[in-house]
């Protein structure tokens, strides 16, 4: 290493020495360590070849990992001298060494950070030495996550120089620049406050790079991705500093750029796979708009964005039309409410017109947009099925002639649209199933078969039991695919498993149960025979689907199933460490006498992917398939644990341990699934305790809750990703709803949960940008931020129903103003609806708990004006929730609101005269029923009752049938003459619901008892009422009352 004339030999020696040092450092005597340190530094100083210097600096880095820098003063001296040298070459070499040793172990250098930052301030101005800039920025990137508040101001002052340095590095070496730009990501993710004062400058820099078509894609992608991250973390500041318009002005031309002559965009290529990972500037431009939609108030965004989108859509250039459609498509998720309530028909019209565009690129984008709309704009978008289904079926009829790439998009649109149709799918079902079954039987192409299998799953989600006539041919096809072990069948098998899972959940227990055991066996055989993360993931989904229909079939296989799933959770497969490595060496460390791992130490195969722990790992990337596998394994374990109950007990502890480990996993989807599974485990343990109420089971439940609930609360406060926090709140609500008072037994827990809800409603958590700016009283917020608060608000009625009302009252007092605030007329429809809806559900909960009447009575003066205001709202959903709220207020508060009955009745009477929305009318009927049952004497029944009966049967809110028929039974026992006076209408309405799914079993029984009693005691009137029914309906009623 120090004596050879041949640089390749010197480099090999440095690499081999590094391997030995890494493994055997503990065995080297202290004297030898000291002499080795001296030799390495001497070799480094006299070396002239860059590749050898690189290897020597990596060797030093490994030594620093074992020896803290303070135990190697000579290294610090050398670094100090070389980085401050007047000779530019020395500075370069010193910075190379510095970057390697600091990256390998950033923390022990903390005492030197201020000195380093001063050095960087100087180096960043040395624009003629790009290599020095590069190593300087890499070192800065390495220490950013470890800097403390004392270094903040120095870091902040470096930002302008950093940007100038990056500009100059881009001119010198785009690859190095692309890597160096990660410093911006690191600064944003670990300490965004450093960036905020320079926000405008960074945005302008990134826009300049992103727009420059002469630069490489990788640098442009980095720049545009920075803008996405800034919008995600600091959307308010971006808006405040008026950066929205400049960003849009840059992003639109990138989004609608035509590809180079003779080429196509990757997603338009015939064999183009949509799953392409190589991200392009165009892809990132769409992501920027997507991020805006998710993180900005729709009103502010649309005001500036729509003129640009409309310009594109009206253009003569097909790629500009495509850009306009891509823009509409990516808005659908983040701005769903805004689009559904204000602009759905015009946007749908634009998309439908694009489906007949002369250019296929535009038609493909239109199909993508339609798929996005179908996924995110429910339920309104489904109401357009008479216009959209013929267009989509038209595409399907050309199955054999169309290009596969284009067909894939048509299937995507069809699936997303059909999946949410519900009963409206009926008229299209024969054509759809004929098309799909013929594709399964006759198509040569495996891809088309795969698309058809996937579509059948979507159709099943809507059609449910209506799919029974097609069940046998579908199952036969799926079985055929699942037993064919050829490699090219893999994608089709994955899809077949997915669709099988959907059928298990939708087709009905009777039909699917006979196949359950065979399906479990198929799944187990496949996961044994094939090593593929996607396939395993789908077998897990299949097992959990079977557990909902026929849990007993899983019980004999729980050992096998849980073993495979836990391996998926533990596995680090698909996690690649990015090694900074001399790639050309394949070395074997011969004398492997190391006890720690007996395997031959093969270092680095050709492509540098051999994951050797402790090499200079520059970061991790995880293949998506393995992430999905972990996510689905968590979801499935949770559901199987709950559905198999006692049988799962032996596996609960190990499963919980493994899932709990994943709460800090780098990928948000996995964290979210892990929290969801923890909630399921709590519910499973509660179910076991209820079935078998021993002390042991009770203690196990509380032991679990004592770990899980604090973990949930910590995550809501500290987790950075909104989607994960929503998942945690959903899991928390599920546990409270299921375990009730048990979940709140520990001292202080009710208060802790209430305070977390309060923090989310006040936007105080990390993922809400830590409460925003102090002067931020702007009520407009992104829809997803509002949705997060809705998840928190849903916890309030759940807590109210789990403990005595007086226990919850102090917390409720604190939470109610935060909810009532959102009922103001200046708030969005979604906020107003959420506000009155939460008040109604909370009152509904109070009506059923001990002390609820007193608490509801004390609250009535505050709540009444809010609910009365809501009944007069422009929006039907707000009216609906407010009417419900007034009904449950009357029920919960009892006598104290009787004095308000005249005002409420006159309000309802005015509403009924002009209301056209059926759901509101149904809720109005139920509210009147609640008022009658709570205080009959205060309702003028001779006027109210006929008006109420005239609105039956209920059309939309069928759950309220329970309330209505309870009320009829109540009135019959208190005032039979009143019921008999309206008997014709009552018999007609009852005939409509008897023996249907419109009423539950309990209501069915209440109704039958009522009718039979009337038929006995008032035979003549009853017979008259039956005769007034249409002739074909009479037998049903007669049979109902004569059966015992």
């Amino acid at each position: 290493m120090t004596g050879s004339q041949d640089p390749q030999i010197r480099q090999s020696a440095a690499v081999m020495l590094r391997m030995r040092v890494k493994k055997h450092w503990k065995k080297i005597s202290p004297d030898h360590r000291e002499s080795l340190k001296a030799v390495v530094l001497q070799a480094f100083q006299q070396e002239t070849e860059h590749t050898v210097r690189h290897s020597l600096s990596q060797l030093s880095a490994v030594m620093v990992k074992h020896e803290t820098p303070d135990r190697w003063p000579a290294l610090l001296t050398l670094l100090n001298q070389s980085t401050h040298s007047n000779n530019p070459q020395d500075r370069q070499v010193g910075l190379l060494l510095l970057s390697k040793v600091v990256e390998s172990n950033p923390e022990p250098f903390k005492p030197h950070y201020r000195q380093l930052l001063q050095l960087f301030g100087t180096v960043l101005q040395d624009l003629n030495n790009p290599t020095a800039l590069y190593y300087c920025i890499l070192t800065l990137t390495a220490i950013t996550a470890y800097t403390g508040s004392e270094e903040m101001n120095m870091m902040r002052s470096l930002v302008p120089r950093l940007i100038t340095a990056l500009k100059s590095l881009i001119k010198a070496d785009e690859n190095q620049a692309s890597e160096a730009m990660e410093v911006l990501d690191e600064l944003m993710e670990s300490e965004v406050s450093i960036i905020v004062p320079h926000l405008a400058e960074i945005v302008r820099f990134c826009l300049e790079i992103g727009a420059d078509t002469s630069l490489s894609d990788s640098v442009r992608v980095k720049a545009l991705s920075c803008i996405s991250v800034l919008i995600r973390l600091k959307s308010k500041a971006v808006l405040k500093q008026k950066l929205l318009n400049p960003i849009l002005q840059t992003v639109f031309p990138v989004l609608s750029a035509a590809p180079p002559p003779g080429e196509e965009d990757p997603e338009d290529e015939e064999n183009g796979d949509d799953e392409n990972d190589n991200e392009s500037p165009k892809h990132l431009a769409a992501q920027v708009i997507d991020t805006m939609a998710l993180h900005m108030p729709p009103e502010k965004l649309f005001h500036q964005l729509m003129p640009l989108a409309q310009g594109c859509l009206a253009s003569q250039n097909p790629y500009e039309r495509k850009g306009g459609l891509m823009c509409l498509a990516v808005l659908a998720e983040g701005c769903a409410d805004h689009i559904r309530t204000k602009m759905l028909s015009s946007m749908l019209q634009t998309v439908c017109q694009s489906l007949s565009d002369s250019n296929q690129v535009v038609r493909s984008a239109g199909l993508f947009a339609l798929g996005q709309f179908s996924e995110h704009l429910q339920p309104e978008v489904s109401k357009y099925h008479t216009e959209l289904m013929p267009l989509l079926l038209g595409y399907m009829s050309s199955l054999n002639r169309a290009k596969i790439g284009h067909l894939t998009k048509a299937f995507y649109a069809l699936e997303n649209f059909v999946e949410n149709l519900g009963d409206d799918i009926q008229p299209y079902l024969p054509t759809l199933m004929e098309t799909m079954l013929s594709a399964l039987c006759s198509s040569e192409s495996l891809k088309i078969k795969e698309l058809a299998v996937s579509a059948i799953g979507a159709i099943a989600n809507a059609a449910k039991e209506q799919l029974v006539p097609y069940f046998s041919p579908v199952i036969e096809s799926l079985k055929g695919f699942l037993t064919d072990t050829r490699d090219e069948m893999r994608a089709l098998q994955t899809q077949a498993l997915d669709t099988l899972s959907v059928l298990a959940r939708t087709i009905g227990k009777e039909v699917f149960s006979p196949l359950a055991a065979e399906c479990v066996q198929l799944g187990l055989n496949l996961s044994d025979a094939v090593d593929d993360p996607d396939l395993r993931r789908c077998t897990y989904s299949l097992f959990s689907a079977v557990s909902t229909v026929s849990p007993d079939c899983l019980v004999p296989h729980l050992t096998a199933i849980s073993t495979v799933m836990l391996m998926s959770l533990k596995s680090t497969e698909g996690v690649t460490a990015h090694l900074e490595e001399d790639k050309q060496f394949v070395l074997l460390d011969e004398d492997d006498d190391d006890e720690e791992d007996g395997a031959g130490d093969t270092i680095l195969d050709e492509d540098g992917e051999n994951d050797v722990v402790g090499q200079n790992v520059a970061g991790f990337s995880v293949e998506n398939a393995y992430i999905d596998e972990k996510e689905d394994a968590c979801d499935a374990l949770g559901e199987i644990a709950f559905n198999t109950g006692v049988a799962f007990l032996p596996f609960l502890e190990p499963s919980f341990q493994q899932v709990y480990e994943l709460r800090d996993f780098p990928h948000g989807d996995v964290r979210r699934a892990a929290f969801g599974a923890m909630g399921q485990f709590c519910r499973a343990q509660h179910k076991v305790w209820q079935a078998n109420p021993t002390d042991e089971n009770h203690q196990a439940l509380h032991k679990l809750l004592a770990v899980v609930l604090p973990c949930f609360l910590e995550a809501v406060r500290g987790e950075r990703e909104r989607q994960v926090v929503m998942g945690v709140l959903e899991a928390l609500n599920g546990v409270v709803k299921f375990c009730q008072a048990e979940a709140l037994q520990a001292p202080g827990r009710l208060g802790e949960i209430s305070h977390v809800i309060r923090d989310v409603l006040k936007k105080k958590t990390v993922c809400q940008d830590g409460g925003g700016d102090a002067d931020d009283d702007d009520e407009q917020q992104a829809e997803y931020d509002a949705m997060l608060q809705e998840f928190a608000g849903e916890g309030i009625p759940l807590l109210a129903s789990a403990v005595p009302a007086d226990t919850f009252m102090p917390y409720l007092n604190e939470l109610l103003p935060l909810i009532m605030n959102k009922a103001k007329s200046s708030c969005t429809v979604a906020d107003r609806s959420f506000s009155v809806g939460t008040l109604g559900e909370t009152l509904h909960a109070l009506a059923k708990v001990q002390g609820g009447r007193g608490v509801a009575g004390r609250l009535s003066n505050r709540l009444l004006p809010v609910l009365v205001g809501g009944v007069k709202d422009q929006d039907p959903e707000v009216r609906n929730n407010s009417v419900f709220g007034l009904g449950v207020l009357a029920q919960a508060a009892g006598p104290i609101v009787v004095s308000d009955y005249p005002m409420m009745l006159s309000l309802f009477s005015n509403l009924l005269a002009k209301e056209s929305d059926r759901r509101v009318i149904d809720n109005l009927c139920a509210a009147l029923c609640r008022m009658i049952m709570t205080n009959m004497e205060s309702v003028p029944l001779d006027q109210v009752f006929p008006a109420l009966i005239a609105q039956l049967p209920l059309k939309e809110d069928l759950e309220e049938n329970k309330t209505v028929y309870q009320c009829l039974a109540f009135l019959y026992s208190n005032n039979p003459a009143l019921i008999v006076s309206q008997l014709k209408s009552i018999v007609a309405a009852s005939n409509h619901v008897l023996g249907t799914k419109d009423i539950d079993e309990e209501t069915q029984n209440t109704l039958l008892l009522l009718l039979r009693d009337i038929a006995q005691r008032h035979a003549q009137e009853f017979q008259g009422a039956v005769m007034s029914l249409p002739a074909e309906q009479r037998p049903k009623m007669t049979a109902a009352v004569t059966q015992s």
Side-chain angles (χ1 to χ4, degrees), residues 109-115 117 143-144 146-158 194:
F109 283 91
K110 257 189 157 162
H112 309 281
Y113 280 2
R114 293 182 70 80
Q115 198 185 339
L117 291 169
I143 68 170
T144 297
Y146 299 90
T147 48
S149 44
E150 59 280 4
E151 289 98 6
M152 283 305 157
N153 290 334
M154 290 180 76
M155 300 271 281
R156 241 177 241 125
S157 62
L158 284 180
I194 296 174

Side-chain angles (χ1 to χ4, degrees), residues 403-420:
K403 294 185 168 173
I404 298 255
H406 191 55
L407 256 184
T408 306
K409 294 184 181 59
F411 266 99
Y412 167 74
L414 178 81
E415 272 193 38
N416 278 352
F417 191 73
V418 163
E419 184 150 34
N420 296 292

Side-chain angles (χ1 to χ4, degrees), residues 847-893:
K848 299 174 184 163
V849 296
Q850 178 196 335
R853 178 153 280 188
V855 167
R858 296 208 288 282
L859 296 172
S860 60
N861 282 344
R862 285 155 66 189
L863 300 185
L864 201 62
V866 179
L867 295 170
V868 168
V871 173
K872 301 170 182 166
D873 198 276
Q874 295 298 300
D875 182 82
E877 196 179 314
V878 179
R879 293 198 297 279
N880 178 58
N881 290 349
S882 305
V883 167
F884 170 76
L886 282 175
V888 288
L889 176 63
Q891 181 184 1

Side-chain angles (χ1 to χ4, degrees), residues 393 441 680 800:
L393 291 171
C441 303
Q680 288 275 38

Side-chain angles (χ1 to χ4, degrees), residues 439 442-447 449:
S442 59
S443 173
E444 292 300 297
S445 152
L446 287 177
K447 182 66 188 174
K449 287 188 158 95

Side-chain angles (χ1 to χ4, degrees), residues 882-942:
S882 305
V883 167
F884 170 76
L886 282 175
V888 288
L889 176 63
Q891 181 184 1
I896 203 158
V897 289
V898 166
S899 55
D900 298 300
Y901 267 37
M903 176 274 290
M904 288 160 71
L905 289 166
S906 114
L907 181 71
F908 285 167
S909 158
N910 294 337
L911 179 63
L912 196 54
K914 56 178 195 283
E915 183 58 69
S916 59
D917 189 288
R918 268 311 313 194
R919 185 169 279 272
V920 179
I921 294 171
D922 290 353
N923 268 285
L924 203 147
C925 294
L928 289 170
C929 289
R930 289 193 169 92
M931 290 171 75
I932 292 169
M933 288 190 282
T934 310
N935 214 305
M936 187 170 75
E937 293 74 39
S938 308
V939 181
L941 287 172
D942 49 338

Side-chain angles (χ1 to χ4, degrees), residues 25 32-42 63 67-68 71-74:
W25 182 256
H32 285 158
R33 289 180 192 177
E34 289 312 316
S35 55
L36 182 59
K37 288 183 200 169
V39 171
V40 170
L41 292 186
Q42 180 204 340
M63 290 160 70
E67 293 281 271
T68 56
R71 306 223 316 256
W72 193 356

